[in-house]
Structures are given as structure tokens and as C-alpha cells.
């Protein structure tokens, strides 16, 4: 780049059209997280019609969640290649088509392929691009924005669960799936809202620019590497983030968390029904979790945005995980409706804290520029845990006819994740930052208010090259300098191609 310094744009608007984007993220997050859990209302009818056990039927929700998480890298690549809006529009159509086709299923395998694979893929192609776009519109208010967007999950869960019960009673599970498929078309409207944020126009390539810098074409800035042969190729997924120590700690935490976090919510309705609770009241338990969750997520997001707490958001996240795990452990023997209501209140509070903080912690760990790739890789790892946790829990229920051991296992896994996050952050990440301080280090506190101010106040290097001709605009490998130039032409994040 010669002597040309980094181009500083106006930055995220932290408002304006961003509030419309936030509203769309609210709806998409609600469908992505609430829909797989709300489908559990139909499990008893599916078990009766297909003559299957609970573990076999629970694979519908598990596959849906696994597709939501496991296709993260695919979603990252598609967003980089085509932008957020087209990917979300296609995702909305796929999610709707999956549920419509599931209403005609005659075997469980057909349900796995339609409601599980197709709808799960559609939800994934909506969920990840919406989070990426939210990060482009908010920076100073990002913790609050993440908390408000995450509140869509409990809102939709509290609405979809009773709605599913009503549809089941009036139209059967086939009619309910058909109508829910039509409801998922709202994801297309949310995708249409994802307008790229305003920013400086890409400059034309000058004679002084080296091969491998961002090129201006009809699709906007696209980052390319220039191999020795002269041909250019796009970097669609930044796998170098895996070498980041903060990312590794977060990934292990998320894997342990996903093994048990969703199990109580998936089993709750059938657990209550087996305890003698009427069907309508059992379905309302998920609504109680949702109502508490609605308050917990925005409140926790606002709390995490405070100047004194934002640098320590990783510890707040670990505290939320431990609280959720202890709630499962202490409520394993709950059998009366009053005890189940108390469990739902405590579970909803801790679950909301986890939901509000999980993506804020990842953004703070790797930075906004590498967030799309990091999110895709984390979701892929989480998919493996989701395929292990709920189906194994369902199989244990079929074998033992006892939910108590399930709550003990789920609570232990989530509590262990919280302990690991706190210990690793204290012993590994903080110690490495103390021994090798660097204003551009990709650590757990690299995205705090103080760190941002420090980076902004220091001059950045005017020229930097990586082996193979990749210039400083490319996503750097761990250990490189400040990351602000990444924000200009990160693949798929430029204002023209999102």
C-alpha cells in the first residue's frame, strides 16, 4: 500500500436504519432459536402416528438445530460471495418449503429431511447473516443491540409454543406444519430489510497498488490474494482464527455448553405431561421461560455495555453458564407444577443471560473483522454437540423412564463450561496479555472501550505485507499488528457487497 495510511470511514452508525436491521434480527433470531424448541409440542402426536419412541422423534429438533449450527461455514462463504440480503431471501424460502413438505411426510425419515434438514438450513441462512449485518450497524451500542436481538428467541418461544398447541388441537400436526411453513416466509421480509450500511465508496485501483489488494469491481470491494502465477482467488473463510487462543477457549466453552443447554427446554413439556400436568399448562411452561427470558436478555445486554463491565464480559458469561447449570442440578427432582414454574423462572433468567452474551463475547475475542469466519466455525463445532446432547437425553429417557438423571447430566455439562471459561480466561488469556501486551492483540479484551480508544490514539503502520503477496487489508494471521485495516475490505463485509 506504499505510504498510504488506513482509510477511516465514518464507522457503524449506531442507529438510523440500524434499528430496522435490529428489528429484522429480532425476528430471525426468534425463529432460529424458538422454532426447534416449539416443534417439540408436536412430538407426542408424531410418536403416536409413526409408532416411534421419543428418542427417534427428538431427532427432528436435533437435526434442525444441527443444520442451524453445522452449516455455519457454508453460510459464511455464501455471505462473502453473494452478500447478506440474497442469502437471507433464499434461506427464508427454504425454511418455509421444509415445513410445507413435512406436512405431507409419511415416514420419520421424510420428516428428518424436510423439517430437519431443509428448514434447519433455511434458518441457518437467515441467522448468521443477520448477526453479521447487526455488527456492521452497531459498535458503541453493540452489547445492547445484541441483547435486544437475542430477546427475539424468548418472545417467539413464548408465542410459538402455545400457537403450536392450538394448531395441533384444531388442525392436527400436518395442518400445523403447513401453517408454520407459511409463517416462516416472514424471514424473506427480514432479509429484504438488510440494506448495506452507508460508507465511503471504494477507490479505483491505482498503479501503486500491489497485486492482492482490494479491487473495485461491479460487485464492490472483494479481497483477493495474488499467487505467484498472477491469478487471483478470494479468501472466503478465514481459518487462521483457529490459532487464536481466545477463540480456542471460547470454542471449547461453547461445545461443553451445547451438550446440555438445550436439553431441559426440549424435554420440559413432555416431562411435565408425564408428571400429570395438563397439556395446555405443560405447554405454558415454555411460555414462562420465554417471558422471563424476554426481560433477562435486554437487561443483561445493557449491563454488559457498562464501561466498568464490558472489559470483563467473559467472566459475566461464565457466571451465567454456572447459574444455568446449577439451576438444572437443583431442579432435577421437581415434579409439582409449582416447582416446575420456579424452575422455569430461574432457568429463563440464566438462559437469557447466556443468550445475550454469547455472541458479544465472541466479537470481543476475535474482533468484528474476523467475526463472520469465527461464527461459522463455532457454529459448526456446536452442531456436533447438539447432535450428541438432545438425542442422547431422549434415548436415556426411553431406557430409564426417569428425567432426573437427564437434568443432572445437562446441569453438570453447562456448569463445567462456565468454570472452564472463567479459569481459562484468568489463567491463560489474562496471563498472556500481561506478558506480551500489544494494542492489536486479538485477546479477550481487545474489543473493550479502553482498548478501542488506545488503538484509535496510536498511529498504525503504513505498510505491511504477508507471505504470498497478501496485503494488510487481508485478514492477518495471529500475532500481526492492529486490526483496523481489516474492517475496510474484509470479505463480504464491504458496504457494496453485503
Amino acid at each position: 500500500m506504499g505510504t498510504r495510511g488506513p482509510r477511516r470511514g465514518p464507522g457503524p452508525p449506531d442507529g438510523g436504519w440500524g434499528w430496522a436491521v435490529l428489528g429484522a434480527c429480532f425476528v430471525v433470531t426468534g425463529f432460529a432459536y424458538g422454532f426447534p424448541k416449539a416443534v417439540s409440542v408436536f412430538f407426542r402426536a408424531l410418536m403416536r402416528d409413526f409408532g416411534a419412541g421419543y428418542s427417534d422423534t427428538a431427532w427432528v429438533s436435533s437435526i434442525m438445530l444441527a443444520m442451524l449450527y453445522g452449516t455455519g461455514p457454508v453460510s459464511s462463504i455464501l455471505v462473502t460471495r453473494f452478500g447478506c440480503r440474497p442469502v437471507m431471501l433464499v434461506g427464508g424460502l427454504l425454511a418455509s418449503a421444509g415445513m410445507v413438505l413435512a406436512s405431507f411426510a409419511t415416514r420419520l425419515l421424510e420428516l428428518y429431511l424436510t423439517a430437519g434438514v431443509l428448514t434447519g438450513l433455511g434458518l441457518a441462512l437467515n441467522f448468521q447473516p443477520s448477526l453479521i449485518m447487526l455488527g456492521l450497524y452497531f459498535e458503541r451500542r453493540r452489547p445492547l443491540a445484541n441483547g435486544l436481538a437475542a430477546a427475539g428467541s424468548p418472545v417467539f418461544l413464548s408465542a410459538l409454543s402455545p400457537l403450536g398447541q392450538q394448531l395441533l388441537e384444531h388442525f392436527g400436526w400436518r395442518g400445523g406444519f403447513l401453517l408454520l411453513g407459511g409463517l416462516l416466509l416472514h424471514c424473506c421480509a427480514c432479509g429484504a430489510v438488510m440494506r448495506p450500511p452507508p460508507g465511503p465508496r471504494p477507490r479505483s485501483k491505482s498503479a501503486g497498488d500491489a497485486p492482492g489488494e482490494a479491487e473495485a469491481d461491479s460487485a464492490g470491494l472483494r479481497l483477493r490474494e495474488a499467487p505467484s502465477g498472477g491469478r487471483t482467488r478470494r479468501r472466503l473463510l478465514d481459518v487462521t482464527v483457529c490459532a487464536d487462543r481466545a477463540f480456542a477457549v471460547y470454542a471449547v466453552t461453547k461445545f461443553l455448553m451445547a451438550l446440555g443447554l438445550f436439553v431441559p427446554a426440549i424435554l420440559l413439556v413432555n416431562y411435565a405431561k408425564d408428571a400429570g400436568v395438563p397439556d395446555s399448562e405443560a405447554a405454558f411452561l415454555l411460555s414462562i421461560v420465554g417471558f422471563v427470558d424476554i426481560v433477562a436478555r435486554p437487561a443483561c445486554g445493557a449491563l454488559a455495555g457498562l464501561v466498568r463491565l464490558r472489559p470483563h464480559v467473559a467472566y459475566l458469561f461464565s457466571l451465567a453458564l454456572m447459574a444455568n447449570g446449577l439451576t438444572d442440578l437443583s431442579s432435577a427432582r421437581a415434579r409439582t407444577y409449582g416447582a416446575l414454574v420456579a424452575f422455569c423462572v430461574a432457568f429463563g433468567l440464566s438462559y437469557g443471560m447466556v443468550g445475550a452474551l454469547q455472541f458479544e463475547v465472541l466479537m470481543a475475542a476475535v474482533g468484528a473483522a474476523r467475526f463472520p469466519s469465527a461464527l461459522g466455525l463455532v457454529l459448526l463445532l456446536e452442531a456436533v454437540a447438539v447432535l450428541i446432547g438432545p438425542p442422547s437425553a431422549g434415548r436415556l429417557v426411553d431406557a430409564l423412564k426417569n428425567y432426573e438423571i437427564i437434568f443432572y447430566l445437562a446441569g453438570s455439562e453447562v456448569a463445567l463450561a462456565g468454570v472452564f471459561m472463567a479459569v481459562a480466561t484468568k489463567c491463560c488469556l489474562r496471563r498472556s496479555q500481561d506478558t506480551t501486551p500489544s494494542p492489536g492483540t486479538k485477546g479477550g479484551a481487545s474489543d473493550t472501550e479502553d482498548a478501542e480508544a488506545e488503538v484509535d490514539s496510536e498511529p498504525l503502520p503504513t505498510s505491511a505485507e504477508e507471505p504470498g503477496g497478501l496485503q494488510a487489508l487481508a485478514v492477518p494471521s495471529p500475532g500481526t499488528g492492529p486490526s483496523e485495516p481489516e474492517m475496510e475490505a474484509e470479505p463480504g463485509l464491504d458496504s457494496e457487497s453485503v
Side-chain angles (χ1 to χ4, degrees):
M1 291 189 296
T3 58
R4 182 173 62 89
R7 171 167 49 85
R8 293 184 182 272
D14 274 308
W17 187 254
W19 297 117
V21 172
L22 175 58
C25 290
F26 178 90
V27 175
V28 169
T29 304
F31 278 125
Y33 279 116
F35 203 82
K37 301 180 187 69
V39 169
S40 64
V41 172
F42 297 91
F43 280 0
R44 279 204 163 184
L46 294 175
M47 292 165 60
R48 182 179 61 251
D49 283 7
F50 294 108
Y54 187 85
S55 60
D56 294 330
T57 310
W59 272 98
V60 176
S61 289
S62 297
I63 293 174
M64 197 180 296
L65 285 170
M67 291 299 297
L68 175 64
Y69 298 135
T71 55
V74 176
S75 183
S76 294
I77 292 173
L78 291 176
V79 168
T80 301
R81 179 64 181 83
F82 300 105
C84 289
R85 185 184 292 172
V87 173
M88 291 185 67
L89 290 173
V90 173
L93 292 175
L94 289 178
S96 175
M99 292 304 295
V100 171
L101 292 175
S103 66
F104 299 98
T106 57
R107 295 181 300 167
L108 271 179
L109 177 61
E110 296 173 2
L111 279 180
Y112 296 160
L113 296 176
T114 53
V117 174
L118 201 57
T119 298
L121 177 61
L123 293 175
L125 295 181
N126 273 268
F127 176 60
Q128 188 170 336
S130 69
L131 289 178
I132 294 172
M133 186 65 75
L134 188 66
L136 296 180
Y137 271 93
F138 290 92
E139 183 176 354
R140 181 174 56 87
R141 297 173 176 170
R142 196 183 65 210
L144 177 61
N146 278 325
L148 290 172
S153 173
V155 170
F156 274 65
L157 180 60
S158 62
L160 288 175
S161 183
L163 175 63
Q165 186 67 38
Q166 292 297 318
L167 293 177
L168 177 63
E169 293 176 358
H170 289 85
F171 304 102
W173 69 266
R174 295 186 184 276
F177 278 16
L178 184 64
L179 293 173
L180 289 176
L183 192 64
L184 285 173
L185 286 174
H186 286 83
C187 292
C188 295
C190 294
V193 170
M194 298 297 170
R195 186 176 70 192
R201 301 292 298 178
R203 69 180 185 89
S204 299
K205 185 179 179 182
S206 62
D209 289 331
E213 290 195 26
E215 299 177 1
D217 54 21
S218 59
L221 284 175
R222 295 290 189 187
L223 190 62
R224 292 177 172 86
E225 296 180 30
S228 57
R231 296 185 62 184
T232 62
R233 61 185 179 87
R234 284 179 185 150
R235 270 183 101 176
L236 298 178
L237 187 67
D238 177 24
V239 296
T240 61
V241 71
C242 296
D244 190 311
R245 186 177 298 181
F247 173 81
V249 169
Y250 181 84
V252 173
T253 301
K254 285 283 284 183
F255 180 83
L256 293 173
M257 180 199 79
L259 286 174
L261 183 67
F262 306 112
V263 170
I266 292 177
L267 297 180
L268 180 61
V269 173
N270 289 283
Y271 174 41
K273 290 179 179 178
D274 287 347
V277 178
D279 289 358
S280 59
E281 294 183 6
F284 186 69
L285 289 173
L286 282 180
S287 299
I288 296 175
V289 174
F291 292 146
V292 178
D293 207 351
I294 291 169
V295 179
R297 296 199 183 210
C300 190
L303 186 67
L306 297 178
V307 175
R308 292 183 179 273
L309 288 180
R310 194 169 183 184
H312 309 291
V313 66
Y315 294 111
L316 191 60
F317 181 56
S318 64
L319 179 64
L321 288 173
M322 286 186 281
N324 186 271
L326 292 175
T327 299
D328 294 343
L329 293 173
S330 61
S331 304
R333 293 179 177 271
R335 298 292 293 176
T336 65
Y337 190 70
L340 289 172
V341 169
F343 163 75
C344 289
V345 172
F347 181 83
L349 181 61
S350 58
Y351 189 83
M353 293 175 64
V354 172
L357 296 174
Q358 56 180 341
F359 298 117
E360 174 61 27
V361 173
L362 181 59
M363 287 183 185
V366 303
R370 296 198 294 175
F371 177 71
S373 296
L375 178 61
L377 295 171
V378 165
L379 292 180
L380 176 61
L381 186 64
E382 198 170 351
V384 178
V386 168
L387 281 175
I388 297 173
S392 300
R395 193 165 297 278
L396 285 174
V397 168
D398 289 339
L400 303 176
K401 308 299 181 183
N402 185 0
Y403 287 87
E404 184 176 334
I405 185 64
I406 308 301
F407 279 81
Y408 283 136
L409 288 175
S412 301
E413 291 158 353
V414 178
L416 178 62
V419 172
F420 174 81
M421 183 72 180
V423 172
T425 301
K426 178 67 175 178
C427 297
C428 300
L429 302 184
R430 295 299 180 187
R431 183 176 300 173
S432 66
Q433 290 173 7
D434 292 340
T435 55
T436 58
S438 173
T441 299
K442 306 288 189 301
S446 64
D447 201 34
T448 63
E449 303 267 354
D450 296 337
E452 289 170 353
E454 182 181 354
V455 172
D456 289 339
S457 65
E458 295 188 4
L460 297 175
T462 57
S463 177
E465 280 194 13
E466 290 185 11
L470 186 61
Q471 301 297 319
L473 282 176
V475 177
S477 60
T480 56
S483 59
E484 259 127 302
E486 300 166 18
M487 297 299 294
E488 295 178 11
E490 174 71 4
L493 294 181
D494 54 282
S495 61
E496 293 295 322
S497 62
V498 175

